[in-house]
Amino acid sequence: LLKSLLLLGGRALYGREVCGLQPGSTRWQAFVRPSARNRKVQTDSERAIEFQRTFDDDQDVNGLQANQVDQIFVSGGGTRGSAEAFEFDAYMIAEGGWSDSTKRLGFSKSIQRFKSIFGVVINAQYNKQNIKERNMQSQIHFALSGKWPLRRCPIQAEFLEYLKGETHFFALVVPKRNVTDRTEQYLERMEREHGESRAALPQSVIDMMRLASTQKGLLEMGVFKQDLGTGQQCLVKENVDVVKLHALARAVMSEMGLPENVEFCESNPVQLFDFSRRGRCVESVRVLCSDGPVVLDPSTFRDSGAGAGSGPRALAFPVGDALEEPNWTQGLGINRGFHSGMNQAFACLLAREESLASGVEESCAAQKRMIEIKWGQGHSGLAGSGSGNIGLKPFKSWNTDPRSRLPFK
């Protein structure tokens, strides 16, 4: 995707953040500067919980996180000289679930909460001269699949993904504390409630359930110094032992086949976060005006007739995790992310070819359909286990028009 952007004459800026928006004489402008992370030195503890800290300030009431438009942000962000300006007609917000721009543009979020479960992300340097590293292959494993690779490493996990790209990337789903062995109780309940014999369950699955009970959670591994209650409370930097977190990461990498002396990446080496919270933007678009209220939600835009006003207009479209955060164990983040990116691109096209109002209505209609689809978890309830028949159209006919992909009524 990046190569295609560059071949089309696009420009990629790394380590930058949008710090302000402002209407110009003919088009809206965005101001970018070095991101906050690149402007200050972080300790190992701060880097380890950086993902988590982005969520800790978000408060919701009765499942709604209400965000107000930041008037300073839409008046240039108070930038003076240090920021670079770019003109735009549509701002595709792809900042992830911790998006600052969606908050500052007043995108409120619907919040769902689940029981605490933790993600560990590891990034290690890839030495292409090392034959052992060159032979590594990307792979995904589920604890009950019968081919679980972490049998010596003491950490208990239910999911493990390894991707080899420019770095060695690992992602695990791990519990706070050890899960005691309830294999026999589970097998008895399976027979009693479902009438299924334990013979129907592969022996490898039974063995893995028993193995898991001998492994450790983050508390037993010493990564968490104390059990402080919620995931958010456990993940304060004073409660995370970074040395033991890195030791856990090395144990995982070593058993997966990497050399013991492989070096962590300088940026985001090992990170830990709680993903028991999932947010989704209540609306999928904002209209940026140069007169009257500067930022309009779809219903206010319809009622105000602002599309015919004077001065530059622009649209802001969240995509991917910025629009709807995933729950790791469902395996739907990248799936829905691609759909939302194509949906918003088509809305952007209609805004240019037809009218601003057409783009707004298309964005809202496509997102409404995305929410209505029953994205299943599959038979196992784990990531990648499939969503079944949810009405998506054959892949060969897909394009950016949502009607080529999604079931529209």
Side-chain angles (χ1 to χ4, degrees), residues 2 34 45 48-49 59 96 147 165 223-224 281 318 351 358 367 391:
L2 177 60
S45 295
I49 61 170
Q59 302 296 324
K147 297 180 180 179
V223 174
F224 287 153
C281 288
S358 295
Q367 181 59 11

Side-chain angles (χ1 to χ4, degrees), residues 3 38 66 217 319 360 367 402 409:
K3 182 178 180 181
N38 291 336
V319 297
V360 171
Q367 181 59 11
K409 295 179 180 178

